[in-house]
């Protein structure tokens, strides 16, 4: 499908097929892991105690890859109480928000009702956060739980892009209901320290099991030559189930709409690995 193997296949009009490369086989294996069947609903929380480390980007990428490679319904929810940007990165449509979904929840009887309050990025359903910060501040744990209950009636996997920090009400509900956790950091002093403190906080507030089974994503958008990235990686490998390094990608760096087709191959491989590690933690 790629590189010289594809060239040989094309030049010989298919008479000689050198077969898939090791990299292609590895990618196919990850996709098979991502496609494993799930019983019931799975909720994935993406969190960080610090802003500006790529939490929303990771949430968007994870949702897109899960939706593209699974046959069931995947929803990405922006639970940021401060006018989050998940929908901007995925669809650009913030006309319907989680607040409207809550208002119409009592009358929702099918997936088509869910579609009225979401927009589509490929096969991924996206629910925007409240764009009025004054109204968004009131998004509570109870409301988050109500949204999860509604989405769980019509979808199989929910990816929640939580707000920055860990102590707001909606975050409490996010962590309590989460089946899997992604903690986002960077290979910098502040980014790695805050990610480590996120895990410390989880252990100190009754979420030890969630923290130990978490996947840490180290976003390479920011890094320092003075930091030994291998040391940072080993530190987190000793604390969580898996660590994934998300390489710098020019398409992601501009902060606009995310298109999987425009990602560098190394970025796609990293996100596939993240999705596979998340689904590894789900029992069928």
């Amino acid at each position: 499908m790629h590189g010289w193997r594809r060239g040989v296949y094309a030049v010989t009009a298919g008479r000689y097929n050198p077969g898939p490369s090791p990299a292609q086989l590895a990618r196919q294996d990850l996709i098979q892991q991502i496609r494993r069947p799930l019983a019931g609903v799975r909720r994935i929380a993406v969190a960080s105690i610090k802003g500006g480390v790529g939490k929303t980007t990771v949430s968007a990428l994870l949702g897109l890859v899960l939706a593209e490679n699974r046959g069931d319904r995947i929803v990405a929810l922006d639970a940021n109480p401060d006018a989050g940007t998940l929908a901007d990165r995925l669809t650009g449509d913030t006309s319907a928000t989680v607040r409207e979904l809550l208002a119409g929840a009592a009358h929702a009887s099918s997936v088509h009702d869910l579609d009225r309050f979401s927009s589509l990025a490929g096969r991924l359903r996206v629910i925007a956060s409240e764009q009025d910060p004054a109204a968004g501040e009131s998004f509570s744990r109870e409301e988050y739980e109500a949204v999860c209950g509604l989405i769980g009636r019509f979808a199989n996997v929910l990816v929640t892009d939580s707000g920055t920090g860990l102590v707001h009400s909606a975050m409490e509900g996010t962590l309590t209901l989460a089946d899997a956790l992604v903690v986002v950091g960077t290979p910098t002093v502040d980014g790695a320290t805050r990610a480590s403190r996120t895990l410390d906080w989880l252990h100190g507030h009754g979420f030890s099991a969630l923290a130990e089974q978490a996947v840490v994503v180290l976003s390479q958008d920011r890094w320092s030559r003075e930091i030994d990235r291998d040391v940072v990686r080993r530190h987190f490998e000793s604390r969580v189930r898996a660590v994934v390094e998300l390489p710098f990608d020019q398409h992601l760096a501009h902060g606009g709409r995310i298109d999987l087709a425009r990602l560098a191959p190394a970025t796609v491989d990293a996100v596939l690995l993240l999705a596979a590690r998340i689904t590894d933690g789900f029992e069928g």
Side-chain angles (χ1 to χ4, degrees):
M1 294 177 64
H2 305 283
W4 68 267
R5 296 167 186 269
R6 179 178 181 178
V8 168
Y9 184 81
V11 167
T12 62
R15 290 188 298 274
Y16 178 68
N17 183 357
S21 68
Q24 184 179 341
L25 289 173
R27 181 177 286 193
Q28 290 172 349
D29 183 59
L30 290 176
I31 291 173
Q32 288 305 311
Q33 294 178 57
I34 293 167
R35 288 176 176 170
R36 68 182 58 200
L38 302 177
V41 181
R42 296 295 188 272
R43 303 179 183 94
I44 305 164
V46 183
S48 172
I49 202 171
K50 173 182 171 58
V53 295
K55 175 176 58 61
T56 294
T57 298
V58 170
S59 301
L61 291 170
L62 179 58
L64 286 170
V65 165
L66 287 171
E68 181 174 273
N69 291 287
R70 293 186 58 83
D72 42 16
R73 297 188 183 103
I74 315 296
V75 174
L77 168 67
D78 194 338
N80 193 329
D82 300 314
T85 60
L86 181 67
D88 292 320
R89 300 301 306 276
L90 286 169
T91 67
D93 184 358
T94 58
S95 58
T97 71
V98 67
R99 186 64 56 190
E100 281 77 31
L101 177 63
L102 279 168
H107 306 290
S109 60
S110 72
V111 69
H112 301 294
D113 295 308
L114 179 62
D115 290 342
R116 291 194 296 121
F117 304 104
S118 61
S119 53
L120 280 176
R123 297 185 64 252
L124 176 65
R125 289 172 169 84
V126 184
I127 301 175
S129 68
E130 174 58 54
Q131 297 300 295
D132 178 358
E137 288 175 0
S138 64
F139 192 54
S140 66
R141 171 178 176 163
E142 292 73 20
E143 289 172 321
Y144 176 77
E145 290 174 346
V147 169
C148 285
L150 175 61
I151 292 173
R153 291 162 53 192
F154 308 117
N156 304 87
V157 178
L158 170 64
V159 179
T160 297
D161 179 14
S162 62
T164 301
L166 299 169
V167 296
H168 56 86
S169 179
M171 189 66 203
E172 182 183 3
T174 302
L175 294 172
T176 299
L177 295 178
D179 300 293
L181 174 66
V182 178
V183 176
V184 184
T186 60
T188 61
V189 172
D190 60 340
T193 299
R194 296 299 179 87
S196 191
R197 287 178 180 171
T198 299
L199 297 174
D200 293 339
W201 187 94
L202 291 166
H203 280 286
H205 290 80
F207 297 103
S208 292
L210 191 62
E212 290 167 359
Q213 292 300 308
V215 177
V216 166
V217 174
L218 295 174
S219 174
Q220 310 291 326
D221 277 353
R222 295 196 304 120
W223 60 278
S224 170
R225 296 183 185 277
E226 298 178 2
I227 301 299
D228 189 329
R229 285 184 280 182
D230 289 335
V231 170
V232 172
R233 182 186 181 95
R234 288 196 297 271
H235 166 75
F236 287 109
E237 285 176 337
S238 70
R239 303 199 63 184
V240 299
R241 183 166 57 85
V243 177
V244 175
E245 293 178 297
L246 183 66
F248 173 82
D249 192 295
Q250 190 63 52
H251 173 58
L252 299 176
H254 66 72
R257 193 87 55 84
I258 295 174
D259 180 356
L260 289 180
R262 297 181 61 187
L263 296 176
T267 306
V268 175
D269 288 339
V271 183
L272 286 172
L273 178 60
L274 170 61
R277 292 297 167 264
I278 288 294
T279 54
D280 281 347
F282 295 152
E283 296 180 359

